[in-house]
Amino acid sequence: MPNLKFHVARMEPAAYAAVPTLLIQLAVANTAGDELEGMTLSTQIRIAAAQRSYSEEERQRLAELFGFPAQWGRALKSLLWAHSVIHVPAFRGEASVALPVVCTYDFEVMSAKYCRGVTEGDIPLELLFSGTMLFYGAHGALQVQPIPWDSEARYDLPVSMWRSLMEAYFPNSAWLRLGREAFDRLDRYRTRKGLLTWDAVLQDLLREVETAR
C-alpha cells in the first residue's frame, strides 16, 4: 500500500501565462517504495489567515473580511483560494509536479481582497489533497485507492511575490466592477465632459466632491 508524503518545494510565477498564474512546485513521495502507476490529484488551496499576525493598518484593510479587531477571535478563518486537478504519471520513490494557481485581480473575490489587504510578510497557505492512486497489489492485481483524507502541505507565499505578479499584468491599475446602470450613467458623464479615460472620469468626480466639501 503506498504511503504518500507531500511537500511544497517552492512557488514561482508562471512564464508566458495569459493570466496571472503562480506555479506550485510540489514534491510527492511514496515512502513505501512501490511504484505508483499514476494518480489523479485534486488540490484545494486555502489561505490559513489565522496563522499569521497583522499590523493595525492590515486589520483596517481587512475589516471587510473579518470585521472589527474585537471580532477577529471568531471571524479569522481560512479562505478558499483555488482548486487544481492534475494527473500524475507513474513514478517510483518521488515525483515533482507543477500545480497552476490562477490569481484573480477581482476585489469582489475574498482571496484577492485578502492578498491586497496584507502589506508585508507572508501569505500562509494550506494545501489539502484528495483523489485516487493506482498501484499493483501484493498479488499483481491493479488496485485503485483514494488518497488519504489527511494528506496536506503548507507553504508561506511572500506577499511581495503576489504584488509583483499583479503589477506585471496590471501595471499601476486596479479592477472595479460596476452595475450596468451605474456604468451607463458614468458613460454619459464621460461623453458630456469630453473625458477620454475612466480614470479621468473618477478623478473629475472626486474633485467635484472635494470642492463641494
Side-chain angles (χ1 to χ4, degrees):
M1 177 78 178
N3 182 30
L4 300 179
K5 300 293 182 184
F6 297 88
H7 171 70
V8 178
R10 66 186 184 279
M11 288 184 69
E12 58 192 7
Y16 312 116
V19 296
T21 304
L22 290 170
L23 288 180
I24 299 177
Q25 300 297 337
L26 181 69
V28 185
N30 177 20
T31 60
D34 300 327
E35 182 173 357
L36 275 175
E37 295 304 309
M39 289 193 303
T40 298
L41 181 63
S42 177
T43 307
Q44 182 183 115
I45 304 158
R46 302 185 67 86
I47 297 173
Q51 295 183 11
R52 59 157 286 171
S53 58
Y54 300 88
S55 67
E56 183 59 34
E57 178 188 356
E58 289 173 329
R59 287 175 178 268
Q60 293 176 7
R61 293 165 65 97
L62 295 171
E64 185 179 356
L65 290 177
F66 305 122
F68 297 107
Q71 301 172 294
W72 279 41
R74 57 181 175 81
L76 195 62
K77 299 178 181 179
S78 294
L79 305 173
L80 176 64
W81 188 359
H83 281 99
S84 177
V85 179
I86 62 169
H87 174 70
V88 181
F91 71 92
R92 180 184 296 274
E94 183 173 308
S96 179
V97 296
L99 304 180
V101 182
V102 175
C103 301
T104 180
Y105 207 38
D106 183 349
F107 295 131
E108 293 189 12
V109 178
M110 289 192 295
S111 60
K113 287 181 181 179
Y114 179 90
C115 292
R116 181 178 179 273
V118 290
T119 58
E120 59 185 2
D122 298 323
I123 300 170
L125 301 178
E126 52 187 9
L127 288 74
L128 309 178
F129 303 105
S130 60
T132 56
M133 50 186 175
L134 285 76
F135 62 96
Y136 286 102
H139 302 291
L142 185 63
Q143 299 186 26
V144 179
Q145 293 284 347
I147 294 172
W149 63 269
D150 59 348
S151 299
E152 61 182 45
R154 300 183 182 277
Y155 189 77
D156 291 329
L157 171 68
V159 173
S160 57
M161 182 180 294
W162 184 88
R163 290 181 175 273
S164 296
L165 181 66
M166 292 302 147
E167 184 63 23
Y169 280 83
F170 309 109
N172 194 31
S173 303
W175 289 105
L176 182 64
R177 182 181 297 184
L178 298 174
R180 186 169 289 110
E181 181 181 353
F183 175 83
D184 290 341
R185 292 177 64 188
L186 284 173
D187 192 37
R188 290 193 294 270
Y189 182 90
R190 181 172 68 92
T191 302
R192 186 170 69 252
K193 288 277 191 170
L195 301 172
L196 299 179
T197 65
W198 295 113
D199 190 74
V201 170
L202 295 177
Q203 293 286 0
D204 193 70
L205 287 170
L206 288 172
R207 279 194 296 271
E208 287 191 5
V209 171
E210 292 168 355
T211 300
R213 287 179 178 176

